Amino acid sequence: MLKKSIIILLDIIIAAYLILAVTAFNKPADRAAVCSEVKIDIDDEMPDGFLNAKDIKQMLEKQHLYPLAKSMMAVNARDIEESLQKNPFVQQAECYKAQNGLVCINLKQRMPIMHVMSAKGDNYYVDIHGSILPETRFASDLLVVTGAITKKYAQKTLTPVVNEIVRDKFWQSQIVQMNVLDDGSIEIVPRVGDHIIYLGAPTDIREKLERMRKFYLYGLNQAGWNKYAYISVEFDNQIICKKK
């Protein structure tokens, strides 16, 4: 009997503790707290990116999920994360509630590296991992790729080529357009100079661009940037130029 009485007493003590704990964590002040600030951070936000804090706010407002002025108890961080994750330009979303009415939203966005406008009429973006992003209303200063392009070619073949271009600040600034010919070979249009550069097959891009860079330094600087109409760096140790 004594053992049974001790067990019942312990159950009563535990129940009383749980009631006090729930009461303590749900004080009237906490239940009445409202969201007074929303902090939105976008990782690696760059001019080439498509999202900013204003865009995120508008997305959540359309879904009636923007937390500002709402009760902190009513703010559902999971719903906010899931809503943002549906956006094709969002790679990862995290939302959590902090103290003093603060709600934090952290995003990592997909970074597009090219705008594909194929001869068949396709219009889309491709990110650094080769993922297809839909046409968007956002304007961005990206490399435009035209010509005979399928989505598979853009993802598997062009993505490594364009990544090689954008990793180099000089070529990222100098190349404004890339055109894919029917045989899959590539030519590029530079920002400076009235000529077309033919890269040939989409292989050994770094070496071909380095050969062209040296020709810029030691050739065109002497001969003039507008002397040639077509410059080919397709073959190793060769640069073939066609005059205007």
Side-chain angles (χ1 to χ4, degrees):
M1 289 293 294
L2 179 60
K3 185 177 180 180
K4 186 175 181 180
S5 298
I6 293 174
I7 293 174
I8 293 174
L9 180 60
L10 287 174
D11 289 341
I12 293 172
I13 292 173
I14 292 172
Y17 170 78
L18 291 175
I19 293 172
L20 289 173
V22 171
T23 303
F25 283 110
N26 291 277
K27 294 181 295 185
D30 290 339
R31 290 197 298 269
V34 297
C35 174
S36 57
E37 181 183 359
V38 181
K39 184 179 180 182
I40 300 175
D41 287 325
I42 302 177
D43 188 28
D44 295 328
E45 187 170 11
M46 299 167 58
D48 287 343
F50 288 119
L51 300 175
N52 55 45
K54 183 179 178 181
D55 299 322
I56 301 304
K57 178 183 177 182
Q58 290 176 346
M59 290 179 202
L60 294 176
E61 286 178 337
K62 287 181 179 179
Q63 300 295 321
H64 305 289
L65 291 173
Y66 192 64
L68 190 64
K70 288 186 177 181
S71 165
M72 291 293 281
M73 292 288 291
V75 174
N76 191 317
R78 178 64 64 86
D79 286 349
I80 291 174
E81 290 175 352
E82 291 179 351
S83 175
L84 293 174
Q85 287 281 177
K86 293 177 182 179
N87 187 289
F89 295 101
V90 174
Q91 181 174 333
Q92 184 177 347
E94 179 187 27
C95 177
Y96 62 91
K97 295 183 280 188
Q99 295 180 341
N100 302 321
L102 173 64
V103 174
C104 298
I105 300 173
N106 297 324
L107 292 179
K108 187 173 183 180
Q109 65 175 323
R110 299 186 187 278
M111 299 306 301
I113 55 172
M114 59 177 147
H115 182 183
V116 177
M117 302 173 69
S118 76
K120 294 182 178 180
D122 293 331
N123 192 336
Y124 53 89
Y125 297 86
V126 181
D127 73 4
I128 60 174
H129 303 294
S131 297
I132 300 292
L133 304 175
E135 183 183 2
T136 175
R137 64 178 176 82
F138 298 101
S140 189
D141 186 20
L142 292 177
L143 175 66
V144 175
V145 185
T146 57
I149 312 166
T150 63
K151 288 187 177 181
K152 183 178 180 180
Y153 184 90
Q155 291 178 284
K156 302 297 183 181
T157 304
L158 282 184
T159 297
V161 172
V162 179
N163 273 329
E164 196 63 54
I165 290 172
V166 300
R167 64 175 287 276
D168 187 307
K169 291 184 178 180
F170 172 77
W171 288 114
Q172 183 182 25
S173 174
Q174 172 69 345
I175 300 174
V176 295
Q177 183 178 345
M178 176 183 293
N179 188 54
V180 179
L181 305 180
D182 290 340
D183 62 357
S185 61
I186 296 172
E187 56 187 17
I188 54 179
V189 180
R191 187 182 304 275
V192 179
D194 189 15
H195 54 263
I196 301 297
I197 302 171
Y198 182 66
L199 298 180
T203 57
D204 303 319
I205 298 301
R206 184 178 302 186
E207 291 77 7
K208 292 175 181 178
L209 291 178
E210 184 58 28
R211 194 155 62 248
M212 189 65 206
R213 188 201 303 269
K214 290 179 179 177
F215 184 63
Y216 274 166
L217 291 174
Y218 306 112
L220 292 188
N221 275 341
Q222 302 296 325
W225 284 71
N226 296 319
K227 182 176 181 178
Y228 301 108
Y230 206 78
I231 302 172
S232 172
V233 291
E234 177 183 12
F235 303 110
D236 290 344
N237 302 315
Q238 291 186 40
I239 298 178
I240 301 172
C241 303
K242 293 182 181 179
K243 291 183 179 181
K244 288 187 176 180

